[in-house]
Amino acid sequence: MAVKYELIKTCAQTGARLGRLHTPHGVIDTPTFMPVGTQASVKGMSPEELKTLGAQIILSNTYHLFLRPGHELVKEAGGLHRFMNWDRPILTDSGGFQVFSLSEMRKITEEGVQFRSHINGDKLSLTPESATQVQNALGADIIMAFDECPPYPAEYEYVKQSTERTSRWAERCLKAHSRSHDQALFGIVQGGMHADLRKQSALDLTSLDFPGYAMGGLSVGEPKHFMYEMLEETIPYLPGNKPRYLMGVGSPDALIEGSIRGVDMFDCVLPTRIARNGTLMTSQGRMVVRNAKYTNDFGPMDPECSCYACRNYSRAYIRHLIKADEMFGLRLTTIHNLHFLVNLMVQVREAIREDRLGTFREEFFEKYGMADN
Ligand SMILES: CNc1nc2c(CC[C@H]3O[C@H](OC)[C@H](OC)[C@@H](OC)[C@@H]3OC)c3nc(N)[nH]c(=O)c3cc2[nH]1
């Protein structure tokens, strides 16, 4: 089996579960946060730095790599692991979401999606078959079915039609998925904010027996309580012996709330994206290190943090680097934010092991602040 989920235990206090995801490139402890390396690089980070901060799996993006440098080149280089010198697990998204969020002029038909490259305007298309073949060529350990992530808000009827088409596309992905690679194809549950459509989508996909299931169509601008409700409406219809992946979710509170509801995998651009404008996630909540009040502050960004940046550099120094537009400044804020979330999941797993994730949630929110961050 390319990818095998091992359930270790369920938290007695919540619906959270401790697990291990075995893949051809190594084991992932779950619940896990997966740093995003959209164009085959986690911006500013070397593989060694990612390993030092504890990343066990990273993501890359089919849409971006399909456009540039092209999946054939990556295949010629020996696949993504060799190309980016990352010997641990990789997951790639199927490109559907990116077509909607990045490209102009796109047209959806039963066949697939036609769109213009956001780089040079070329007319391109992705279908369930081609998106699967591109991912087979890239060689990630976990690849995603080609789906449509409906916009939010959207008419019930639109979400229904889109979700039913995504289920038909999922079956086409399974058929196109080449077994020659040791890769696991995950299905993506859709259904918008409608419990009946979520249930139907989950039943359709689990009837196809994927090795893992993502919940898509969330974290698209809906109020967070809608997202949590949809998790509660979907997860009961997913098999307990397969991993569950909540796509695009990444604030500390959402990682904890999602874990409590039984999610095993999260991906989020948040920590790396906000790091690039000098915003940090710290044990005391969010902090904008470029603020003038840190000009003479020679303490660490986060006194409770053991990351390379917090052990060796001051707020004043990092603020100076960012103001001076020095690359090293953003590398330090990225190292810190990634370490913060990886370490948060270490604490979440510890709390599940000790049956106290509910208590941990209260303590964390008390210190971090329940702000939408
Ligand atoms: C933010 N809320 C968010 N992100 C959703 C992503 C994309 C995740 C994707 O989000 C960035 O792409 C844009 C990341 O690159 C910047 C990708 O990392 C490689 C990541 O791929 C897993 C979804 N992907 C699919 N295939 N289907 C979805 O329904 C879906 C829903 C999302 N909600």
Side-chain angles (χ1 to χ4, degrees):
M1 175 80 111
V3 164
K4 182 115 187 62
Y5 177 72
E6 178 196 356
L7 174 60
I8 295 170
K9 72 164 287 194
T10 303
C11 174
Q13 223 179 36
T14 66
R17 57 210 216 134
L18 190 64
R20 266 198 286 268
L21 194 50
H22 299 267
T23 81
H25 282 89
V27 181
I28 301 148
D29 295 303
T30 62
T32 187
F33 151 70
M34 306 184 284
V36 167
T38 302
Q39 305 183 101
S41 149
V42 179
K43 290 179 174 49
M45 295 291 99
S46 71
E48 289 68 28
E49 285 167 331
L50 288 168
K51 287 178 180 176
T52 300
L53 58 83
Q56 294 182 312
I57 175 172
I58 59 171
L59 268 53
S60 234
N61 219 302
T62 298
Y63 170 82
H64 294 82
L65 296 172
F66 174 58
L67 264 56
R68 180 176 55 190
H71 57 294
E72 294 91 350
L73 185 138
V74 176
K75 184 172 184 170
E76 198 185 327
L80 256 185
H81 290 88
R82 292 235 347 85
F83 195 47
M84 61 192 294
N85 185 34
W86 175 257
D87 60 2
R88 292 186 177 181
I90 298 175
L91 180 151
T92 47
D93 195 4
S94 51
F97 182 89
Q98 291 75 28
V99 168
F100 296 99
S101 53
L102 290 172
S103 65
E104 280 80 56
M105 199 298 281
R106 71 245 163 201
K107 185 166 162 279
I108 312 177
T109 64
E110 185 64 28
E111 183 54 19
V113 184
Q114 292 161 3
F115 59 95
R116 281 196 184 286
S117 159
H118 72 288
I119 297 170
N120 61 16
D122 284 357
K123 266 188 91 168
L124 300 167
S125 79
L126 274 174
T127 65
E129 291 77 12
S130 65
T132 303
Q133 282 143 16
V134 168
Q135 291 181 90
N136 286 155
L138 295 174
D141 301 272
I142 300 173
I143 67 175
M144 303 310 293
F146 187 69
D147 64 328
E148 182 196 356
C149 172
Y152 174 81
E155 289 295 313
Y156 177 87
E157 200 45 41
Y158 181 86
V159 177
K160 184 174 185 299
Q161 297 304 321
S162 164
T163 298
E164 288 168 357
R165 178 172 50 215
T166 285
S167 294
R168 294 193 295 273
W169 282 359
E171 193 155 13
R172 286 169 51 190
C173 290
L174 265 183
K175 288 200 179 76
H177 181 39
S178 95
R179 298 280 184 278
S180 56
H181 301 258
D182 207 6
Q183 296 169 286
L185 173 68
F186 279 19
I188 304 180
V189 176
Q190 292 293 348
M193 307 303 151
H194 308 287
D196 60 327
L197 299 180
R198 285 275 161 189
K199 176 180 174 181
Q200 191 53 54
S201 177
L203 293 174
D204 289 348
L205 293 179
T206 50
S207 70
L208 297 170
D209 192 22
F210 285 96
Y213 297 91
M215 284 159 284
L218 296 171
S219 185
V220 287
E222 78 281 6
K224 278 192 177 163
H225 70 85
F226 276 6
M227 176 165 79
Y228 300 147
E229 279 164 40
M230 288 305 108
L231 292 182
E232 290 156 13
E233 293 293 343
T234 307
I235 286 180
Y237 299 100
L238 297 180
N241 64 339
K242 302 282 178 68
R244 300 127 179 201
Y245 165 21
L246 178 53
M247 304 190 85
V249 166
S251 55
D253 54 314
L255 293 180
I256 295 171
E257 295 288 3
S259 297
I260 283 176
R261 290 166 176 78
V263 175
D264 306 304
M265 301 160 74
F266 302 88
D267 89 84
C268 62
V269 291
L270 193 68
T272 38
R273 184 166 291 170
I274 64 173
R276 291 198 293 280
N277 61 42
T279 301
L280 303 166
M281 297 171 168
T282 77
S283 47
Q284 317 301 319
R286 268 203 191 186
M287 182 183 118
V288 182
V289 73
R290 61 185 310 145
N291 281 357
K293 67 182 173 185
Y294 300 116
T295 305
N296 302 73
D297 184 332
F298 300 106
M301 289 184 282
D302 183 347
E304 294 184 21
C305 180
S306 62
C307 84
Y308 169 72
C310 290
R311 278 187 286 106
N312 296 288
Y313 304 93
S314 67
R315 291 170 174 172
Y317 175 67
I318 291 169
R319 177 180 181 277
H320 155 66
L321 291 182
I322 291 176
K323 300 289 280 184
D325 216 9
E326 279 292 334
M327 289 167 67
F328 189 48
L330 299 187
R331 277 181 24 78
L332 290 171
T333 54
T334 301
I335 286 169
H336 170 76
N337 278 356
L338 286 175
H339 177 272
F340 182 85
L341 284 189
V342 168
N343 188 48
L344 173 63
M345 299 319 280
V346 169
Q347 296 174 73
V348 163
R349 294 195 297 268
E350 213 39 54
I352 296 171
R353 203 187 304 276
E354 296 164 8
D355 294 320
R356 57 173 177 79
L357 184 55
T359 314
F360 175 77
R361 174 186 177 281
E362 299 313 321
E363 291 161 356
F364 182 86
F365 287 167
E366 184 60 37
K367 273 175 61 178
Y368 190 81
M370 248 309 278
D372 213 9
N373 53 17

